[in-house]
Amino acid sequence: MSVNLSKGQGISLQKSDGGALTAVRMGLGWQAAPRRGLFGTRTKEIDLDASAVLFAEKQPVDVVFFRHLVSDDGSVRHTGDNLVGGAGQGGDDEAILVDLQRVPVHIDQIVFTVNSFTGQTFAEVQNAFCRIVDETNGQELARYTLTGGGKYTAQIMAKVHRTGGGWQMTALGAAADGRTFQDLMPALLPHL
């Protein structure tokens, strides 16, 4: 059963039987919002990009995004760039796979971001979500739905961080501006 997360809410990434999750997928989906024009309703293609920034003691040590699809250690993998979106409430438009067992012990947080590479604001996006899925069985564990749009071009969606002997996911939902993850780095630091 999936949990609908609200901003700031966290969930433990433990299985219901008490075991730890071994692999998760952070999925991202979106649709372009229809706009009324002189000749009817139309949509403009929007290229949102999912990124995962790996941190060790609040220092960025690696990143996975559309130009660097696999982390240096191989534990985090991007499935590829989607230039137009379209899944919305359905499947994932972009996904980042995390093999939690292979994440090096010095990595204590992985922050997931989404930015509008084409520069449109989230006011032009609808049905945007990120979700975390147990990659071993396909079960959706949690979903964070972006609501309300806004005049910003990026979103710090969620983070997965170590807690004791396991991992926890926290929905962040923080608005930011930037076309790439590099533009977002100053905005990420307060969420670590």
Side-chain angles (χ1 to χ4, degrees):
M1 183 165 115
S2 182
V3 174
N4 285 319
L5 295 176
S6 57
K7 187 175 179 176
Q9 185 179 2
I11 63 161
S12 172
L13 297 184
Q14 297 287 332
K15 291 187 175 195
S16 56
D17 65 5
L21 288 169
T22 57
V24 295
R25 177 176 73 238
M26 179 65 72
L28 167 68
W30 73 93
Q31 293 175 321
R35 298 186 312 171
R36 301 238 358 113
L38 186 59
F39 300 106
T41 302
R42 60 188 173 92
T43 60
K44 183 177 180 182
E45 291 181 350
I46 297 177
D47 179 9
L48 296 185
D49 289 322
S51 302
V53 184
L54 289 69
F55 288 90
E57 297 183 17
K58 300 188 179 186
Q59 296 299 313
V61 294
D62 201 356
V63 66
V64 174
F65 70 117
F66 68 93
R67 288 191 180 136
H68 185 244
L69 294 175
V70 180
S71 62
D72 294 339
D73 58 57
S75 66
V76 181
R77 185 172 51 90
H78 196 296
T79 60
D81 195 13
N82 180 320
L83 302 176
V84 297
Q89 294 294 328
D92 302 329
D93 291 315
E94 290 192 12
I96 297 175
L97 308 171
V98 182
D99 184 340
L100 295 169
Q101 294 180 316
R102 289 184 56 202
V103 175
V105 294
H106 70 284
I107 303 294
D108 53 13
Q109 297 186 70
I110 303 170
V111 180
F112 298 93
T113 65
V114 57
N115 53 275
S116 174
F117 188 74
T118 44
Q120 292 99 334
T121 68
F122 276 83
E124 299 175 71
V125 176
Q126 69 179 10
N127 298 330
F129 67 86
C130 77
R131 67 188 189 132
I132 195 156
V133 175
D134 180 344
E135 193 60 13
T136 60
N137 63 16
Q139 179 184 1
E140 181 176 290
L141 303 172
R143 176 179 288 255
Y144 174 66
T145 303
L146 175 67
T147 57
K151 298 231 178 257
Y152 46 87
T153 58
Q155 185 75 208
I156 302 165
M157 294 295 275
K159 71 178 178 177
V160 175
H161 50 103
R162 292 187 192 270
T163 58
W167 291 88
Q168 181 171 329
M169 177 197 170
T170 301
L172 299 172
D177 282 300
R179 291 181 56 237
T180 67
F181 78 90
Q182 294 100 324
D183 298 337
L184 304 180
M185 292 308 287
L188 286 178
L189 298 179
H191 300 284
L192 300 178

